[in-house]
Amino acid sequence: MEQNQQTCQIQKQNYHIVFTYGTLKKGYYNHKFIKDAVFVTENCYTDALQEEKYTILIDKKNYVPFLYKINSLTQKNPDIIQQIQDNIVPVQGELYIVNDEQLKQLDILEGIPTYYDRFIENFIIKPQNQQELQQIENKFEEFGLKDQIQNLDQSLQNEEIKPIKVKAYYYLSQQNLDERYVVEKNECFFNYTLEQHKKYVPKHLRE
């Protein structure tokens, strides 16, 4: 009996919610590292009501998008705020549910703590319809993560479908800005699209 209990404890999985915004998304070259995780939604955004705002900058040498807090950028690089302040909108990304081993592998892939570090933050899910909302809520309940979400007051959001606030892990850049990075206003991103991916990443690395 004791041996069976120990086996059950070993096999028990913990699950985590992860926000992805770059090459881990569907259609990008690093998606293979997260393809076995549970996809939740692509309609996920950084919380616009929080004091911290985010942007994505591209490492032109290594073809990697990095997520930065705008406040930390402007403290060290005050000229950047002049280039992006008129275009500050929530960063869009995809949300996944991962187990302990998958989270560990993501940490290795992201080069913690040299290139990125992992933090937890509030994100906003904006379902496109009632069916998607129900599917999202069902997934969180299935994996024991219902306590990580909060239904927002629909009357305050001016949305037909109620948004959801969720606590999720995300990977924040630990790199200092230098000449490798794109910092022009029109190339600070809030949604790293496939078009931008194709522009910056050589074809042989995308396949």
Side-chain angles (χ1 to χ4, degrees):
M1 177 69 71
E2 182 178 349
Q3 184 176 0
N4 289 339
Q5 289 177 343
Q6 290 177 348
T7 302
C8 289
Q9 289 176 353
I10 291 172
Q11 293 177 343
K12 182 180 179 181
Q13 286 277 15
N14 293 313
Y15 293 96
H16 316 274
I17 306 170
V18 176
F19 174 80
T20 67
Y21 55 85
T23 60
L24 285 168
K25 296 194 301 182
K26 290 182 178 181
Y28 299 75
Y29 68 89
N30 274 333
H31 182 68
K32 58 182 178 287
F33 293 102
I34 204 171
K35 65 180 179 63
D36 293 328
V38 178
F39 174 74
V40 178
T41 181
E42 62 184 13
N43 299 308
C44 189
Y45 304 82
T46 53
D47 189 349
L49 298 181
Q50 292 182 152
E51 182 178 351
E52 284 288 2
K53 303 295 188 291
Y54 298 87
T55 189
I56 298 171
L57 299 179
I58 307 299
D59 178 340
K60 294 184 289 184
K61 179 179 179 181
N62 297 309
Y63 315 110
V64 176
F66 285 96
L67 187 70
Y68 283 93
K69 290 183 177 180
I70 291 177
N71 287 348
S72 65
L73 281 179
T74 56
Q75 290 171 6
K76 297 179 181 178
N77 306 82
D79 57 312
I80 291 179
I81 192 62
Q82 300 300 321
Q83 300 166 351
I84 63 176
Q85 63 181 353
D86 296 331
N87 192 31
I88 296 178
V89 296
V91 172
Q92 182 176 1
E94 295 177 351
L95 211 63
Y96 290 85
I97 295 173
V98 302
N99 59 33
D100 288 336
E101 182 59 29
Q102 290 167 332
L103 186 64
K104 180 180 177 181
Q105 293 304 314
L106 288 178
D107 286 351
I108 294 172
L109 173 68
E110 302 292 11
I112 289 178
T114 304
Y115 296 104
Y116 297 87
D117 211 345
R118 174 161 52 85
F119 298 92
I120 194 164
E121 183 64 278
N122 289 320
F123 295 89
I124 304 298
I125 301 173
K126 296 184 177 181
Q128 297 300 293
N129 51 57
Q130 194 65 38
Q131 181 181 7
E132 183 185 4
L133 172 63
Q134 190 62 57
Q135 290 173 344
I136 290 170
E137 290 181 335
N138 289 345
K139 286 179 181 178
F140 287 136
E141 185 168 9
E142 177 183 354
F143 290 93
L145 295 167
K146 202 72 181 287
D147 61 336
Q148 299 298 308
I149 67 174
Q150 173 188 352
N151 291 325
L152 299 181
D153 188 334
Q154 185 172 339
S155 64
L156 297 177
Q157 297 297 321
N158 194 28
E159 303 278 355
E160 291 186 10
I161 307 298
K162 60 184 179 183
I164 301 172
K165 179 180 286 188
V166 58
K167 287 188 177 296
Y169 285 123
Y170 73 107
Y171 292 91
L172 187 69
S173 175
Q174 301 301 297
Q175 298 292 289
N176 293 323
L177 285 181
D178 57 30
E179 66 278 1
R180 294 179 301 165
Y181 294 88
V182 174
V183 294
E184 293 82 3
K185 178 178 177 180
N186 63 343
E187 293 183 327
C188 294
F189 305 121
F190 298 90
N191 181 15
Y192 184 61
T193 65
L194 279 172
E195 288 73 21
Q196 292 152 353
H197 185 61
K198 291 175 181 178
K199 175 180 178 181
Y200 289 104
V201 180
K203 185 176 180 180
H204 72 278
L205 292 178
R206 289 189 266 116
E207 298 176 342

